[in-house]
Amino acid sequence: MEGVQPLDENVGNTPRPRFEKNKLLLVASAIQGLGLLLCLTYICLHFHTLRVCEVPPPIQSIKVQFTKYEKEKGFILTSQNKDDVMKVQNNSIVINCDGFYLISLKAYFSQEVNVSLHYRKGQRPLLVLSQIRSVDSIVVASLAYKDKVYLNVTTHSSFPDSLHANGGELILIHQNPGEFCAH
């Protein structure tokens, strides 16, 4: 059996088609390149969305004071902080965002009064208190865009011009940011 070569040597001596091997390497490299490109795109988009979402929207809140009473308008609401997100217009607080609001009302009055806190004409008031000299109440209410929160204080006194409030404050804080808002 001198003329017969072992099987391993026969396979090694036969010419292989180089074209198929190079084509396979080229296809494998192209697939790896596309995979790398997709990974880089995903990473870039991920970091871009993180940068966009870094600044949360400001919390809708306001703190107003009332001490001065006018017979025609009632107590005048004034905001001390010009940076408040919510604003006072026509002696009422304008609601810009739908959602639940924590509402705090505190005051000491110089005489007995009736207090009601309203948010929409034709609707029941959020708060009604009769014949009181002080108030320290907290209410949670569902308010909507364009609602206006306003305070109504009346007295049966024959001297309404002498009515004043000590430490009168009204605070609204939006409890669920992310709801519908119009600015």
Side-chain angles (χ1 to χ4, degrees):
M1 293 239 172
E2 289 179 8
V4 178
Q5 295 181 348
L7 188 58
D8 291 335
E9 290 177 68
N10 283 338
V11 173
N13 291 336
T14 59
R16 291 187 190 162
R18 286 188 150 269
F19 179 70
E20 285 187 28
K21 184 178 181 182
N22 288 342
K23 186 177 177 182
L24 186 61
L25 287 174
L26 182 64
V27 169
S29 295
I31 291 172
Q32 283 180 340
L34 285 173
L36 182 62
L37 183 65
L38 286 173
C39 285
L40 289 175
T41 304
Y42 175 78
I43 290 170
C44 289
L45 287 175
H46 180 71
F47 282 119
H48 175 70
T49 57
L50 284 178
R51 255 184 282 141
V52 169
C53 298
E54 281 179 8
V55 180
I59 301 278
Q60 296 284 312
S61 66
I62 191 168
K63 177 181 179 181
V64 296
Q65 295 178 339
F66 57 93
T67 54
K68 185 180 175 189
Y69 182 81
E70 291 182 6
K71 190 173 185 177
E72 318 283 308
K73 297 180 181 179
F75 278 100
I76 306 301
L77 301 179
T78 56
S79 175
Q80 302 298 320
N81 189 356
K82 300 297 179 197
D83 296 332
D84 281 336
V85 177
M86 300 172 74
K87 301 295 178 197
V88 175
Q89 292 178 353
N90 296 328
N91 212 31
S92 59
I93 300 168
V94 179
I95 303 298
N96 296 320
C97 298
D98 293 351
F100 289 101
Y101 285 80
L102 179 73
I103 303 170
S104 171
L105 178 63
K106 294 180 182 181
Y108 298 96
F109 298 100
S110 60
Q111 50 190 277
E112 275 192 358
V113 294
N114 299 323
V115 176
S116 57
L117 187 63
H118 299 267
Y119 70 101
R120 204 179 290 158
K121 295 222 185 268
Q123 296 290 324
R124 291 184 340 178
L126 296 170
L127 180 68
V128 177
L129 301 169
S130 299
Q131 298 180 344
I132 59 164
R133 293 208 50 158
S134 68
V135 60
D136 187 359
S137 296
I138 295 177
V139 176
V140 175
S142 177
L143 302 176
Y145 172 63
K146 288 193 176 180
D147 280 344
K148 294 180 180 181
V149 176
Y150 59 97
L151 185 63
N152 185 15
V153 178
T154 58
T155 182
H156 296 296
S157 169
S158 54
F159 302 106
D161 292 336
S162 66
L163 179 61
H164 65 276
N166 257 346
E169 69 178 21
L170 176 61
I171 301 172
L172 274 78
I173 303 171
H174 191 211
Q175 296 300 301
N176 49 338
E179 298 289 320
F180 172 77
C181 281
H183 299 283

